[in-house]
Amino acid sequence: MLTDLSPLIAATARWLTVAYPPSGGALASALCEAQARQAVTVAAWLRYPTEIDAGLVTMAGPGGTARLDWITGAEAAGDHAAEEWAWRTWVDEVVASWAAALLTDTELAGLAVAGLADSEHSAGPAEFRRLLTPDDADRSAAALLRHPDLLAPVAGLHRDQLLTRLDPGRSLAA
C-alpha cells in the first residue's frame, strides 16, 4: 500500500500558490511555495498521522478542488485539458483549509508543529521555520497567501476540526 503523502502535499501546496499567488519574481515565488509546502506538510501530517491513514487516503483519493475552487472563484477544471488540471484531483480540501489556518495564525502553527511530536512523522520546528517565524521577505513574498481576510473562507471550512485535533486531551490517531 502506498503511504507517501508527497503527491497530496505537492498538489495542495500548488493549489494554495495558484489561488494566492506570490508577489514578485522568482525568489518571491520560491519563498511563497516554501511557506505553502511547510503549512500543507504540517496539516497533512496532522490529518493523516499514521501510515495506515496515509495509505487509506492514497488509496481512496483526497477529493480534489471543486469546493475550494468554487469558494475562491477559481476557473472550473472543465475549461482546460485534463493534463492541465489532473493534479487538482490530489488536492485535499481539509488539508488546504488547515494549512490556510496555519498560514494566517503563527500561534496556531506553533501548536500544530508541537502536535506532531506524538505522531509517526518526525520533524522539528527548524524544518518549519518559514511557517513558524516568517521574516520580512517571507511575508512580502506571500502577502496574499498569509492575508487573514483573503484566506478566511478557506481557513474557516475545517478550522473547528483542526482545533479539535490540536486539543491536548485528544489522541492524534484519525
Side-chain angles (χ1 to χ4, degrees), residues 20-25 27-33 35 135-145:
Y20 304 97
S23 307
L27 177 59
S29 181
L31 291 174
C32 186
E33 182 176 337
Q35 293 173 74
D135 60 21
D136 290 340
D138 292 323
R139 289 189 185 281
S140 176
L144 298 178
L145 185 64

Side-chain angles (χ1 to χ4, degrees), residues 8-9 33 53 58 70 72 79 87-89 99 107 110 119 124 132 152 157 173:
L8 182 148
I9 291 169
E33 182 176 337
D53 295 318
T58 56
W70 179 78
T72 59
D79 296 342
W87 64 269
R88 291 173 173 266
T89 62
E107 185 177 328
S119 76
L132 297 174
L157 284 174

Side-chain angles (χ1 to χ4, degrees), residues 31-116:
L31 291 174
C32 186
E33 182 176 337
Q35 293 173 74
R37 188 171 289 266
Q38 287 181 13
V40 169
T41 298
V42 171
W45 287 359
L46 285 171
R47 175 91 168 129
Y48 306 107
T50 68
E51 191 173 306
I52 292 171
D53 295 318
L56 289 173
V57 74
T58 56
M59 198 166 58
T65 64
R67 185 171 172 199
L68 293 169
D69 289 342
W70 179 78
I71 288 171
T72 59
E75 295 180 51
D79 296 342
H80 301 286
E83 300 83 33
E84 295 176 24
W85 61 265
W87 64 269
R88 291 173 173 266
T89 62
W90 277 98
V91 174
D92 186 301
E93 177 184 304
V94 175
V95 171
S97 176
W98 289 9
L102 299 178
L103 285 162
T104 59
D105 185 339
T106 54
E107 185 177 328
L108 187 61
L111 289 171
V113 170
L116 293 174

